[in-house]
Amino acid sequence: MPQMTGGQALVAGMRQAGVTTLFGIPGVHNGGLYDALLDAPDMRVVITRHEQGAAFMADGYARASGRVACVATITGPGITNAATGLGEAYAESSPVLHIATALGPASRTPEAGELHELRDQSGVLRALVGHHELVEKVPGIPGAVTRAMDAITTDRPGPASVEIPLALLTETADVELAEAGPATVAAPDSGAVDQAAALLANAEAPLIFLGSGAMDAGSEVEALAERLQAPVLTAQTGKGAFPESHPLSLGCKHRLDESLYELLRTRDVALVVGCRLGARVTDDDRMPLPETLIQVDRSAAELGRHRSNAVSIQADAAAAVSELLEALPDEPPPEAPDIAEGMRARRRSPHDAADDPRSAAILEELRRVLPDDGVLVNDMTMTSYRSAGLFPVDQPRSYMFPIYFGTLGFSLPAAIGAQVACPERPVLSLSGDGGFLFTAEELATAVREQLPVVAVVFNDSSYAAIDGNFRGNFGGRTVDVRLHNPDFVAFGKSFGAAAEGVDTPEALGAAVERGLARRCPTLIEYRLPPVG
């Protein structure tokens, strides 16, 4: 068995698990890891300006590529700084490996008054991630990484934390790197598949509803939808899993929508693939899905959690849908009325565009200039709220939004992570002026790494969404949410990015085109009338 430091064992375990990129900040409490990385030129290390940004980058990397991303933090403040990003990754089922250092073994006396001490650090991590393990010995490090990766790739995706006492990173021991076989998801149960196929074959008005778990099952879902002539609706988490230009696409379910509800009430069987059916997706359970539900999910815990199922299938989405297609009777697809195209038009025009014509014009222009394979990364901002309905997407992993956790500051670092994962794809970030300054320092990371991310900041000098919510809920009364902002163009240039300001949709489109052509970081300020 070779002798390794704990840092070397960690790098070897990550390499064996297929991890190729790490986001984080070197510190005195994880120096043993970064020293080992100096001897691992095959590992890309992206040094960020804040651990929250590092965690968002790992999330964006994972969502854009489908591959596991890695974020490393020190003890204490490194973990609390990254906590928001880990919470976002958990809420959105993003496969993120988190490497954290600890001050000492589990047996150490708590609250010893050490540097970067966090009371019950393991407890904090267990509240944020789906899988957690505290390593006690150097030889146990590679196995802990393997178990974390298995948890990420075989059950519901999400963040997993491996916590390593910092002394182990420089301690030397004999380490055995056991050969790790490929992690496998449970194969679909044939009996459940046959039951589901019978329900779908006998349905008069089937519906297919997709979440993020169906993101890599597009061709299988498309074949099944065409065989059944079933309209396909995506949750906002699943936007892009099915091409929205397809004749059977209903587009994206993103908010209360009575015109959509009218259609859903006519459906008699729904196939739900890779979607938890949580409160954000189902409008607090008001969404009128059929009583007869077939649910496909990798995680047994999610099957029937929120709605009772007629049939539950625990499996990878692509495998389950493929077997469903094979199990259907070999007969011509039924003739179905052309409902999808008219429904898409009804849903997009009278609601989103009429209620917010400014955002409609902006998103139409952005859709025109962003190539089909481009990635749109949204923040919690007014224009982005409309993007689910007004920015059609035809390719998977081309749209991100912090839907469940809903954190400000997600967009820029997530876009940077997406660009690291997919260097040939155009990446466009949308933020409001409030949210952008939560993580604006990561513009320095984009410049350092020379990543051609184009970041748009909508500047109305306020937390506009909060202002509107307060006025609507408290009889027109509101708190003072006006913001004193920097000169964003000067701000961008000060980091070494290209930057310019615009104030019309047409000028924005032209500026984005210039930014995409530059192949270097670009910041665009879209100036809006101030609120209040």
Side-chain angles (χ1 to χ4, degrees), residues 19-318:
V19 174
T20 61
T21 306
L22 179 143
F23 300 91
I25 302 175
V28 296
H29 279 186
N30 60 9
L33 166 60
Y34 281 88
D35 180 70
L37 286 166
L38 290 174
D39 298 319
D42 57 320
M43 232 12 130
R44 182 171 184 179
V45 178
V46 179
I47 296 177
T48 70
R49 300 303 295 266
H50 195 285
E51 290 92 349
Q52 184 181 58
F56 284 147
M57 287 179 206
D59 188 352
Y61 180 104
R63 293 198 213 188
S65 67
R67 303 190 300 271
V68 176
C70 184
V71 56
T73 65
I74 64 164
T75 62
I79 286 170
T80 54
N81 284 345
T84 299
L86 293 173
E88 176 66 36
Y90 181 82
E92 304 292 343
S93 302
S94 291
V96 172
L97 173 65
H98 174 224
I99 303 298
T101 51
L103 290 178
S107 57
R108 176 170 288 192
T109 302
E111 297 191 70
E114 296 186 68
L115 176 67
H116 297 331
E117 186 175 67
L118 175 62
R119 184 166 61 89
D120 192 13
Q121 179 171 292
S122 294
V124 170
L125 287 171
R126 281 192 292 268
L128 293 167
V129 302
H131 171 91
H132 168 268
E133 182 173 346
L134 173 63
V135 183
E136 294 284 353
K137 303 286 185 183
V138 170
I141 291 174
V145 173
T146 298
R147 286 186 288 277
M149 292 292 286
D150 285 348
I152 290 170
T153 55
T154 60
D155 205 292
R156 174 187 161 189
S161 283
V162 176
E163 200 179 357
I164 304 170
L166 63 93
L168 296 190
L169 294 176
T170 52
E171 185 179 308
T172 302
D174 291 329
V175 177
E176 181 178 3
L177 293 173
E179 195 66 36
T184 56
V185 182
D189 178 78
S190 58
V193 169
D194 288 343
Q195 281 183 278
L199 288 172
L200 290 170
N202 293 320
E204 293 183 2
L207 170 78
I208 299 174
F209 187 40
L210 308 177
S212 62
M215 194 58 71
D216 298 316
S219 60
E220 292 83 0
V221 170
E222 194 167 339
L224 181 65
E226 290 171 357
R227 166 64 182 82
L228 296 171
Q229 285 298 292
V232 179
L233 179 69
T234 72
Q236 201 166 349
T237 54
K239 187 175 173 69
F242 190 81
E244 292 187 296
S245 62
H246 192 284
L248 289 169
S249 172
L250 291 172
C252 176
K253 164 71 186 72
H254 54 101
R255 52 166 174 70
L256 283 166
D257 186 340
E258 188 53 42
S259 62
L260 174 65
Y261 283 7
E262 290 175 12
L263 171 66
L264 296 183
R265 293 186 187 100
T266 69
R267 304 288 98 186
D268 59 350
V269 177
L271 171 65
V272 179
V273 184
C275 182
R276 287 177 284 154
L277 298 179
R280 286 278 283 166
V281 167
T282 62
D283 301 324
D284 293 319
D285 212 31
R286 286 173 286 183
M287 182 180 176
L289 285 169
E291 287 189 15
T292 303
L293 286 184
I294 302 161
Q295 189 178 7
V296 175
D297 205 283
R298 270 176 32 176
S299 173
E302 300 304 331
L303 293 168
R305 180 195 287 269
H306 298 290
R307 299 278 183 106
S308 297
N309 294 332
V311 182
S312 296
I313 303 174
Q314 184 190 2
D316 171 76

Side-chain angles (χ1 to χ4, degrees), residues 21 23 44 46 48 53-67 69-70 375 377 400 410-423 427 429 442 445-446 449 451 453:
T21 306
F23 300 91
R44 182 171 184 179
V46 179
T48 70
F56 284 147
M57 287 179 206
D59 188 352
Y61 180 104
R63 293 198 213 188
S65 67
R67 303 190 300 271
C70 184
V375 182
V377 186
M400 299 182 205
F410 167 80
S411 180
L412 176 63
I416 291 170
Q419 193 74 83
V420 171
C422 306
V427 178
S429 162
E442 298 305 345
T445 305
E449 298 289 323
L451 298 168
V453 171

Side-chain angles (χ1 to χ4, degrees), residues 199-492:
L199 288 172
L200 290 170
N202 293 320
E204 293 183 2
L207 170 78
I208 299 174
F209 187 40
L210 308 177
S212 62
M215 194 58 71
D216 298 316
S219 60
E220 292 83 0
V221 170
E222 194 167 339
L224 181 65
E226 290 171 357
R227 166 64 182 82
L228 296 171
Q229 285 298 292
V232 179
L233 179 69
T234 72
Q236 201 166 349
T237 54
K239 187 175 173 69
F242 190 81
E244 292 187 296
S245 62
H246 192 284
L248 289 169
S249 172
L250 291 172
C252 176
K253 164 71 186 72
H254 54 101
R255 52 166 174 70
L256 283 166
D257 186 340
E258 188 53 42
S259 62
L260 174 65
Y261 283 7
E262 290 175 12
L263 171 66
L264 296 183
R265 293 186 187 100
T266 69
R267 304 288 98 186
D268 59 350
V269 177
L271 171 65
V272 179
V273 184
C275 182
R276 287 177 284 154
L277 298 179
R280 286 278 283 166
V281 167
T282 62
D283 301 324
D284 293 319
D285 212 31
R286 286 173 286 183
M287 182 180 176
L289 285 169
E291 287 189 15
T292 303
L293 286 184
I294 302 161
Q295 189 178 7
V296 175
D297 205 283
R298 270 176 32 176
S299 173
E302 300 304 331
L303 293 168
R305 180 195 287 269
H306 298 290
R307 299 278 183 106
S308 297
N309 294 332
V311 182
S312 296
I313 303 174
Q314 184 190 2
D316 171 76
V321 175
S322 180
E323 292 200 17
L324 275 172
L325 187 61
E326 289 184 16
L328 286 170
D330 188 14
E331 57 188 42
E335 291 188 11
D338 182 14
I339 60 171
E341 185 174 353
M343 179 56 64
R344 285 201 306 272
R346 287 177 64 194
R347 292 182 61 217
R348 281 187 187 146
S349 176
H351 299 284
D352 289 305
D355 290 352
D356 189 356
R358 183 179 67 194
S359 291
I362 289 170
L363 290 165
E364 182 179 5
E365 187 67 15
L366 292 178
R367 179 67 284 178
R368 183 186 69 79
V369 300
L370 187 67
D372 287 346
D373 67 339
V375 182
L376 183 72
V377 186
N378 294 280
D379 213 277
M380 301 291 285
T381 190
M382 299 302 291
T383 297
S384 286
Y385 296 149
R386 301 299 190 183
S387 65
L390 293 172
F391 191 89
V393 170
D394 275 354
Q395 295 196 23
R397 305 194 176 280
S398 297
Y399 179 89
M400 299 182 205
F401 190 96
I403 299 158
Y404 282 105
F405 214 49
T407 176
L408 285 164
F410 167 80
S411 180
L412 176 63
I416 291 170
Q419 193 74 83
V420 171
C422 306
E424 300 307 315
R425 297 180 70 183
V427 178
L428 177 62
S429 162
L430 304 184
S431 303
D433 52 328
F436 178 73
L437 287 177
F438 276 44
T439 52
E441 71 280 353
E442 298 305 345
L443 190 60
T445 305
V447 172
R448 173 192 172 101
E449 298 289 323
Q450 277 303 287
L451 298 168
V453 171
V454 177
V456 177
V457 179
F458 297 103
N459 180 14
D460 58 8
S461 300
S462 71
Y463 288 121
I466 296 170
D467 181 74
N469 179 274
F470 271 60
R471 291 180 189 278
N473 288 320
F474 299 103
R477 287 156 50 92
T478 187
V479 296
D480 187 353
V481 292
R482 292 172 295 177
L483 300 175
H484 180 74
N485 286 326
D487 179 330
F488 284 109
V489 174
F491 180 89

